[in-house]
Amino acid sequence: MSAWTAMAEQLSWGRYLAMGLMVLAGAAMQGVGGLGYAMFCAPLAAIFFPELVPGPLLAVGAPLALLAYLREREALNRQVAAATLVGRVIGTFAATGLLVLFSTHALSILFAVLILAAVCLSTMGWRVQPSTTNLSIAGVASGIMGTITAAGGPPFAIAMQHLAPATMRSTLGVVFFAGTIVSLSALAWVGRMGSDQWLLSLVLLPWMLGGFLASNRLARHISKATIRRWLLGTAAVSACIILLRVWL
């Protein structure tokens, strides 16, 4: 029996449709706001479609991030992207040291509370300048949060809320693509990304492309102020989800 036949027997049309709609919505969100795919899809998949977590979701997210960069590559600020990527790598390694000193729950609560405080201050008029220093710090925080809580987007939402939308989306596309490739390589190395996971990713790609194409039109009609509110809202929801996981 081929891998395609085995997957077709295990995956009903109704289940496939539900997965596809989830991916389509997440891809559209990320195509407009620069992030949101993982935050939207990961919690739902963990509950309803555990076979998608983590490999297939990451494998679908990698080309989504690449498309976001390619669509607006002219707007990419290389200095911003480099600072963000370097910070992300440093934060990923720093997380291992922090986990030796502190518990996962304590660090999760700390970062979630800091993100919520930053969101509240931003809505009250506090302005975070998207400087190289601030973006590097956001990259470090994202690397730590991503390693500890699997939610690395909120620090970027805070630091990038005043960037031009096209620059923000292209920068996040580069950062997320690079990070996802590393994660997929690690999963393949430990045997958690086999042929079944790759096939499942492949059949969901059309839904991702549909969501991204829909975002092409949406992104042109959504203002910078609306995207800023979306970023802050996404950061706040992510922080609340982290706190909820710790509490449960």
Side-chain angles (χ1 to χ4, degrees), residues 135-184:
L135 290 168
S136 297
I137 293 171
V140 172
S142 176
I144 295 172
M145 282 189 69
T147 303
I148 294 171
T149 71
F156 290 141
I158 299 298
M160 295 184 178
Q161 59 180 294
H162 295 294
L163 276 177
T167 300
M168 178 196 63
R169 288 190 291 260
S170 61
T171 300
L172 287 174
V174 169
V175 173
F176 288 149
F177 178 70
T180 301
I181 293 301
V182 172
S183 297
L184 284 171

Side-chain angles (χ1 to χ4, degrees), residues 143-232:
I144 295 172
M145 282 189 69
T147 303
I148 294 171
T149 71
F156 290 141
I158 299 298
M160 295 184 178
Q161 59 180 294
H162 295 294
L163 276 177
T167 300
M168 178 196 63
R169 288 190 291 260
S170 61
T171 300
L172 287 174
V174 169
V175 173
F176 288 149
F177 178 70
T180 301
I181 293 301
V182 172
S183 297
L184 284 171
S185 300
L187 288 173
W189 179 263
V190 298
R192 293 195 61 191
M193 194 65 193
S195 58
D196 290 346
Q197 286 76 32
W198 285 113
L199 284 174
L200 193 50
S201 308
L202 188 61
V203 299
L204 289 173
L205 282 180
W207 295 92
M208 180 277 289
L209 290 172
F212 180 76
L213 290 174
S215 77
N216 287 336
R217 176 168 296 186
L218 291 171
R220 290 195 295 267
H221 297 288
I222 295 179
S223 67
K224 181 178 179 179
T226 300
I227 291 178
R228 177 175 178 266
R229 288 193 292 269
W230 157 253
L231 288 172
L232 293 177

Side-chain angles (χ1 to χ4, degrees), residues 86-124:
V86 169
R88 175 86 187 211
V89 172
I90 293 172
T92 301
F93 284 105
T96 59
L98 289 173
L99 286 171
V100 174
L101 300 174
F102 306 99
S103 70
T104 301
H105 281 186
L107 291 170
S108 297
I109 292 171
L110 173 62
F111 276 103
V113 170
L114 289 175
I115 290 297
L116 287 174
V119 170
C120 291
L121 289 171
S122 295
T123 59
M124 295 168 62

Side-chain angles (χ1 to χ4, degrees), residues 36-117:
Y37 166 79
M39 191 208 76
F40 177 75
C41 293
L44 291 177
I47 297 171
F48 300 108
F49 314 116
E51 63 269 37
L52 295 180
V53 183
L57 274 186
L58 286 172
V60 175
L64 172 62
L66 181 61
L67 287 172
Y69 157 68
L70 292 174
R71 181 179 65 187
E72 296 172 302
R73 59 188 178 276
E74 295 84 3
L76 178 69
N77 184 315
R78 297 181 184 278
Q79 187 176 8
V80 166
T84 308
L85 275 170
V86 169
R88 175 86 187 211
V89 172
I90 293 172
T92 301
F93 284 105
T96 59
L98 289 173
L99 286 171
V100 174
L101 300 174
F102 306 99
S103 70
T104 301
H105 281 186
L107 291 170
S108 297
I109 292 171
L110 173 62
F111 276 103
V113 170
L114 289 175
I115 290 297
L116 287 174

